[in-house]
């Protein structure tokens, strides 16, 4: 009896996931994704970032497990971005959809894995969504899609917001309004709102509102009564952050477009009918379509979301303040939580003569690399290994001072530890010193 009772809910869930829905909303998502990726690719190339970030540097900071990955020569990297632009348009058009989105995922992820110094949360989001889109039947001409395709996108977008809100539940953000207090004060020249941004109360109000927004907006978008107000909040929130903090690039536009997946699946058709009833095509007959259960596909989706659920939680496995140590920080939707500035100097001791030479890495790196390395321990370690490789047997120690969310500068790395002997990996790094207390 219990086995049958347990089987019935699973059967009902499977039937619900396989039920057909109008694919118009999913196609709108595909079109928006493709066009935004095309615009982002053009923007990236127009600003000279292909050469600046991937061609000119003589050294690249590699992700753990991907040290073998190297950038192509200049012509090859330009060809990669030309291909990304063309593939984005194919995805938007729904033409050769699965090959196009598969190749887009491979090339985009390849570029992002070339250098840790270029990591941004929305680049990771693009890779994750492109991977998920491989499973979705979004090619041109498909009028009906299974319900699971819609909910897969909703879950992926909802996880970004929810985990971003969860990450804000920390003393710096809630009790000290940091780093918003620093950032908003620096925007005192902002039109109209400038005088308000100077006030500490504004930073506190925006910190609490930001945490509440991220934690609740996926659920508010799901409910028909609150959805219009929630989406207006999405537009206002991302519009304001994009205007105040232009360094976050296209992230506001991507999330504003992605949040449309919470609307009814036929929302583009409803909008078209409202604007031009005579030209709006009739919706598909849903009852005429059924989708088979594909255990391999559903298992792959379950694995995908198991990883997406687990990755942001791994920071709780590390000791101390992970916003300071950066352990478990990437791929976890830790959005706009820290303001850090650091300085790094190395002491390299020759094993034969015992002489110690000082190495300033900044002139040997790009501005972006030097800025990011100065407060990220795994990048500091990797460059220490690079220096040790140039002088086999050398000892390499680092003097690293970092200011963190308004605290005075403090040492990040134990200056007595020979980093040339330390290994990179997923385990906690005991040579990272504790975060300084707030005065």
């Amino acid at each position: 009896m219990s086995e049958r009772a347990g089987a019935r809910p699973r059967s009902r869930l499977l039937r619900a996931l396989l039920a057909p829905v109008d694919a118009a909303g999913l196609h709108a998502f595909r079109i928006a994704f493709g066009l935004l990726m095309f615009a982002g690719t053009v923007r990236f190339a127009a600003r000279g970032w292909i050469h600046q970030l991937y061609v000119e540097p003589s050294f690249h900071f590699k992700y753990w497990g991907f040290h073998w990955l190297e950038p192509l020569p200049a012509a090859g990297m330009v060809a990669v971005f030309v291909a990304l632009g063309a593939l984005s348009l194919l995805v938007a058009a729904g033409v050769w959809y699965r090959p196009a989105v598969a190749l887009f995922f491979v090339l985009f992820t390849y570029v992002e894995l070339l250098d840790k110094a270029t990591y941004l949360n929305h680049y990771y989001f693009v890779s994750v969504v492109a991977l998920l889109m491989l499973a979705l039947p979004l090619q041109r001409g498909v009028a009906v899609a299974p319900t699971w395709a819609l909910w897969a996108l909703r879950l992926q977008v909802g996880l970004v917001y929810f985990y971003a809100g969860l990450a804000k539940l920390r003393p710096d953000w809630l009790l000290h309004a940091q780093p918003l207090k620093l950032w908003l004060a620096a925007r005192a020249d902002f039109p109209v709102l400038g005088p308000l941004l100077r006030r500490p109360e504004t930073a506190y109000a925006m910190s609490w509102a930001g945490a509440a927004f991220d934690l609740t907006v996926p659920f508010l978008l799901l409910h028909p009564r609150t959805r219009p107000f929630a989406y207006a909040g999405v537009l206002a929130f991302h519009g304001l952050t994009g205007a105040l903090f232009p360094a976050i690039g296209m992230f506001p536009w991507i999330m504003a477009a992605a949040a449309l997946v919470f609307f009814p699946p036929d929302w583009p058709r409803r909008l078209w009918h409202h604007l031009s009833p005579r030209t709006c095509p009739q919706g598909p007959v849903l009852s005429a379509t059924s989708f088979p259960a594909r255990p391999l596909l559903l298992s792959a989706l379950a694995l995908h979301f198991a990883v997406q659920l687990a990755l942001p939680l791994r920071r709780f496995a590390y000791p101390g303040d992970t916003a300071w140590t950066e352990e478990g920080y990437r791929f976890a939707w830790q959005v706009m939580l820290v303001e850090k500035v650091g300085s790094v100097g190395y002491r390299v001791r020759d094993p034969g003569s015992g002489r110690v030479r000082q190495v300033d890495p900044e002139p040997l790196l790009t501005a972006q690399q030097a800025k990011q390395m100065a407060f990220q321990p795994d990048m500091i370690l990797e460059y220490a290994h690079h220096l040790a490789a140039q002088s086999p047997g050398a000892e390499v120690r680092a003097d690293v001072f970092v200011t963190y969310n308004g605290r005075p500068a403090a040492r990040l790395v134990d200056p007595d530890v020979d980093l040339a002997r330390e290994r990179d990996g997923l385990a906690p790094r005991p040579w990272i010193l504790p975060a300084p207390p707030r005065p």
Side-chain angles (χ1 to χ4, degrees):
M1 184 68 178
S2 61
E3 290 182 2
R4 292 180 180 178
R8 282 197 294 271
R10 287 197 296 270
S11 178
R12 287 197 294 269
L13 176 61
L14 186 59
R15 286 199 299 271
L17 291 174
L18 295 175
V21 294
D22 192 329
L26 291 169
H27 286 305
F29 173 84
R30 186 205 73 228
I31 293 168
F33 179 86
L35 292 179
L36 283 170
M37 293 306 99
F38 177 75
T41 303
V42 172
R43 173 176 176 266
F44 201 96
R47 297 197 172 193
W49 290 342
I50 301 174
H51 282 74
Q52 181 182 334
L53 298 179
Y54 301 112
V55 177
E56 294 174 4
S58 59
F59 177 83
H60 293 276
F61 290 95
K62 303 300 179 63
Y63 287 90
W64 182 74
F66 289 91
H67 287 81
W68 51 271
L69 209 58
E70 296 290 345
L72 298 171
M77 291 306 301
V78 170
V80 166
F81 278 86
V82 170
L84 283 171
L87 292 167
S88 299
L89 293 177
L90 288 176
V91 171
V95 176
W96 298 327
Y97 167 71
R98 277 207 168 87
V101 78
L103 191 53
F104 177 89
F105 164 74
V106 170
L107 292 180
F108 190 93
T109 305
Y110 159 73
V111 171
E112 297 318 309
L113 289 175
L114 288 176
D115 199 321
K116 279 186 288 194
T118 66
Y119 173 83
L120 289 173
N121 281 294
H122 69 274
Y123 290 166
Y124 173 53
F125 179 70
V126 167
S127 284
V128 169
V129 169
L131 178 62
L132 182 60
M133 288 173 70
L134 270 171
L136 308 183
L138 299 185
Q139 57 269 30
R140 187 175 183 177
V142 171
V144 178
T147 297
W148 62 257
L150 177 65
W151 280 96
L153 284 173
R154 287 175 173 176
L155 179 56
Q156 186 65 70
V157 176
L159 285 175
V160 176
Y161 281 116
F162 184 78
Y163 275 126
L166 187 64
K168 291 178 174 65
L169 303 182
R170 58 180 73 206
D172 268 20
W173 185 271
L174 297 177
L175 303 182
H176 305 285
Q178 291 289 6
L180 278 185
K181 190 183 294 185
L182 294 171
W183 292 344
L184 295 181
R187 298 306 314 272
D189 59 344
F190 194 81
V192 182
L193 297 177
L196 189 62
L197 299 180
R198 294 192 191 100
R199 302 181 65 85
E201 307 93 281
T202 303
Y204 280 97
M206 290 182 67
S207 293
W208 280 78
F213 172 83
D214 284 339
L215 287 169
T216 60
V217 73
F219 307 102
L220 297 175
L221 285 168
L222 283 172
H223 198 283
R225 291 186 178 180
T226 55
R227 185 180 296 126
F229 306 101
Y231 192 69
V234 167
L235 296 179
F237 177 82
H238 289 302
L240 182 61
T241 55
L244 288 174
F245 314 116
I248 62 178
M250 296 192 66
F251 188 65
W253 307 105
I254 293 171
M255 294 308 297
L260 290 170
V261 299
F262 289 94
F263 280 74
D266 62 344
W267 72 263
R269 201 179 306 278
R270 294 186 187 187
L271 179 61
W272 191 344
H273 186 269
H274 176 75
L275 297 175
S276 180
R278 293 183 179 180
T279 61
C280 180
Q282 192 172 11
V285 180
L286 300 181
S287 59
T289 306
S290 61
F291 293 94
R294 297 180 178 176
L296 185 60
L297 176 59
L298 295 177
S299 298
L301 286 169
L303 176 62
H304 172 88
F305 284 110
V307 172
Q308 291 302 304
L309 287 165
L311 273 180
L313 297 176
R314 76 192 192 281
R315 67 184 177 91
F316 294 107
Y318 291 99
D321 182 353
T322 54
W324 167 259
T325 67
E326 301 272 336
E327 293 179 309
Y329 202 76
R330 299 187 193 96
F331 316 115
W333 312 121
Q334 310 282 293
V335 182
M336 298 180 69
L337 292 179
V338 296
E339 170 62 24
K340 290 182 182 177
V341 179
S343 64
V344 182
Y346 289 97
R347 290 173 282 125
V348 182
R349 183 178 182 274
D350 182 79
S353 65
R355 295 179 59 183
V356 177
R357 59 186 176 93
Q358 305 287 331
V359 177
D360 178 8
E362 189 167 343
L364 308 173
L365 301 170
T366 68
Q368 175 73 4
Q369 288 176 323
K371 176 184 176 181
Q372 295 298 318
M373 184 193 72
F375 55 80
Q376 299 196 45
D378 61 340
M379 296 173 68
I380 294 168
L381 176 66
E382 185 175 354
Y383 201 79
H385 287 182
H386 172 67
L387 293 175
Q390 295 175 340
S391 304
E395 298 175 3
V396 183
R397 293 174 174 82
D399 294 302
V400 185
F401 293 89
V402 175
T403 59
Y404 163 46
N405 282 358
R407 295 172 176 82
R411 282 191 181 271
L412 175 64
V413 172
D414 187 338
D416 297 323
V417 170
D418 179 9
L419 295 179
R421 306 292 177 264
E422 297 294 327
R423 292 188 176 183
D424 195 10
L426 302 179
R429 302 178 178 96
W431 43 269
I432 301 176
L433 297 176
R438 182 168 290 284

